[in-house]
Amino acid sequence: MFILGPAPKAIGGIAAILASCITCHQIYRHLQHYFCPAEQRWIIRILCIVPIYALTSWCSLMFWKWSIYFDSIRDVYEAFVIYNFLCLCYEYLGGENSILNEIQGKELERSWYYMTCCLPKIHYDIKFLRFCKKSTLQFCAVKPIVSIITIILEANNQFHENNLRPKYGYLYVTIIYNISVTLALYALVLFYLATREILKPHDPVLKFFMVKAIIFASFWQGVMLSFLELIDVIKDTTSGPDTATRVITTGEISASWQNFLICVEMLISAFLLRIAFPERVYDKDGGSRQKLSSNIRDTLNPKYMITDYIHNFSSTYSSYALGNQSANDESDVESRTGGGSSAIRAARTPDSDGDQRSWFNASSSRQILVENDELGNRD
């Protein structure tokens, strides 16, 4: 059988390493030109999905006994990516105040294509934005819990990956995961419908497609392999000489196909993400004035997500949202009296340790595009 031979491991390894190198170079370029941290911190976190997906899938392919742990790392990070993409869209639009100024009072479009035809009449307001944020944040909470449960079930031989029989835990874990990820991704769809006109200068279609495709495609790919296993298209097999024959279960075969396909798909994704999130948008006046290590620390700082959890799940969220100037501590948002659009100003903001951070004077990528004459006549 092809998937059990050395070829998939070699091809998967080459694809995973190439994808990781391509994306890591892109991340390095963003860190070099880290002039717009309010946006680039989210972009870098999104880009990290390629090396994490590719390398963990290859490790799972190589070391089957440890695959449950590698897969858990991959699955937890995908929840983080959905949240980061929504936060990036917020930053593109100048924060919640600016989004509210643009969409408040408008009604959700009814569409069979976007599956909004059967929803009740929805008007865009602060509760709508709260729903979008909470839907992505719940996935960030549910996925780690599900991963821990998966590891416990596997340790007790009750998980049986890709086996949809009711007596095993995989079916129930898949149902919980499916509900959670569907809610998170559908919240992204609703947010896109509400803001697609004002997001146009940032070319959101490819960005939205890539984030959704990587996560949703890998999930349904796994479900399809489980279905093929259920109808006995994928069957148990054996390997090794007669004196040392090892039974290879359908779960191992299905998981091997899943990991191999993800390795190859991440190589394609690496090229598409270079187009979706080009670093040249932020390339202005040479490299960043900040040290590379400082830029990395800012990217890894979890305070924004923790703050979002506290704000969105607290009873005082509405007053927070209306009074909030920006999604991060370094940016100030100004609402213009005419059209409700905004520009994010940067400042030299002291760190908690007293160091001065030097932010670029125009932390909106749209403004940088205008200055570089790259927007043309798109407006």
Side-chain angles (χ1 to χ4, degrees):
M1 183 179 289
F2 169 77
I3 195 62
L4 302 177
K9 295 179 175 66
I11 296 171
I14 293 170
I17 292 171
L18 283 176
S20 299
C21 290
I22 292 168
T23 305
C24 285
H25 175 262
Q26 185 181 4
I27 291 171
Y28 173 72
R29 293 286 294 167
H30 272 286
L31 290 169
Q32 269 190 320
H33 302 94
Y34 201 64
F35 290 118
C36 184
E39 294 176 8
Q40 285 176 283
R41 70 169 62 96
W42 309 113
I43 291 174
I44 290 171
R45 292 172 183 178
I46 292 169
L47 293 177
C48 284
I49 194 174
V50 170
I52 289 175
Y53 257 51
L55 295 177
T56 54
S57 296
W58 184 44
C59 288
S60 293
L61 192 60
M62 294 291 295
F63 310 105
W64 162 250
K65 290 183 179 179
W66 303 97
S67 64
I68 191 72
Y69 304 103
F70 296 125
D71 293 349
S72 295
I73 296 171
R74 181 182 70 202
D75 293 344
V76 168
Y77 197 78
E78 75 177 20
F80 188 54
V81 166
I82 294 177
Y83 163 75
N84 278 276
F85 182 71
L86 183 63
C87 290
L88 175 62
C89 292
Y90 270 58
E91 289 300 336
Y92 279 154
L93 301 177
E96 285 173 328
N97 281 340
S98 296
I99 297 172
L100 276 174
N101 287 339
E102 294 285 354
I103 69 172
Q104 194 163 22
K106 296 179 182 178
E107 188 176 329
L108 176 67
E109 175 187 343
R110 300 297 184 92
S111 169
W112 285 97
Y113 182 75
Y114 292 108
M115 293 183 291
T116 58
C117 54
C118 299
L119 294 178
K121 185 178 291 186
I122 297 175
H123 289 91
Y124 300 135
D125 54 13
I126 191 64
K127 292 181 180 179
F128 172 80
L129 293 181
R130 180 180 189 178
F131 167 78
C132 293
K133 266 288 180 73
K134 289 177 74 173
S135 296
T136 56
L137 285 169
Q138 62 81 26
F139 188 42
C140 293
V142 168
K143 193 56 195 173
I145 295 172
V146 168
S147 296
I148 293 171
I149 293 173
T150 298
I151 292 172
I152 294 172
L153 289 172
E154 181 68 21
N156 291 279
N157 199 31
Q158 294 296 317
F159 184 63
H160 290 254
E161 186 172 5
N162 294 313
N163 192 324
L164 292 173
R165 291 178 175 85
K167 64 179 180 178
Y168 298 124
Y170 177 77
L171 173 63
Y172 307 105
V173 167
T174 300
I175 291 171
I176 295 171
Y177 171 84
N178 193 18
I179 293 171
S180 183
V181 71
T182 300
L183 180 61
L185 288 173
Y186 194 59
L188 275 186
V189 171
L190 295 180
F191 182 82
Y192 171 73
L193 287 177
T195 60
R196 59 182 172 180
E197 293 300 322
I198 50 179
L199 273 173
K200 274 185 178 179
H202 302 282
D203 298 323
V205 176
L206 181 58
K207 296 178 175 68
F208 183 82
F209 171 78
M210 285 306 303
V211 171
K212 191 170 181 179
I214 289 174
I215 294 170
F216 230 41
S218 62
F219 169 72
W220 284 110
Q221 193 169 266
V223 171
M224 180 58 67
L225 288 167
S226 300
F227 178 72
L228 293 177
E229 182 182 335
L230 186 65
I231 62 175
D232 289 332
V233 173
I234 298 176
K235 301 179 180 179
D236 291 344
T237 187
T238 58
S239 68
D242 293 337
T243 56
T245 299
R246 182 173 79 89
V247 176
I248 301 176
T249 63
T250 55
E252 184 175 348
I253 296 171
S254 298
S256 296
W257 273 113
Q258 170 81 323
N259 290 316
F260 171 70
L261 291 172
I262 288 176
C263 288
V264 175
E265 289 161 359
M266 286 305 102
L267 181 57
I268 300 171
S269 299
F271 286 106
L272 292 177
L273 285 171
R274 289 189 75 91
I275 300 172
F277 299 101
E279 71 277 359
R280 69 177 182 275
V281 174
Y282 305 97
D283 186 359
K284 186 178 178 67
D285 298 331
S288 171
R289 290 186 288 267
Q290 286 292 106
K291 291 181 180 179
L292 202 65
S293 58
S294 299
N295 297 339
I296 293 173
R297 281 200 305 271
D298 182 68
T299 302
L300 298 177
N301 194 334
K303 69 178 180 180
Y304 306 100
M305 186 174 181
I306 295 171
T307 301
D308 252 358
Y309 261 113
I310 295 171
H311 287 157
N312 281 276
F313 289 96
S314 71
S315 58
T316 58
Y317 174 81
S318 295
S319 59
Y320 148 73
L322 293 173
N324 184 34
Q325 288 184 309
S326 166
N328 63 74
D329 295 336
E330 290 79 22
S331 300
D332 296 317
V333 176
E334 287 187 344
S335 293
R336 295 178 183 169
T337 55
S341 59
S342 63
I344 304 174
R345 292 182 178 176
R348 295 186 60 85
T349 306
D351 263 331
S352 57
D353 57 3
D355 293 337
Q356 292 285 328
R357 288 189 179 182
S358 178
W359 296 146
F360 183 42
N361 287 332
S363 62
S364 164
S365 62
R366 175 180 173 81
Q367 189 167 346
I368 298 171
L369 278 168
V370 171
E371 291 177 1
N372 289 341
D373 294 326
E374 289 188 33
L375 269 179
N377 298 319
R378 279 191 288 177
D379 289 342

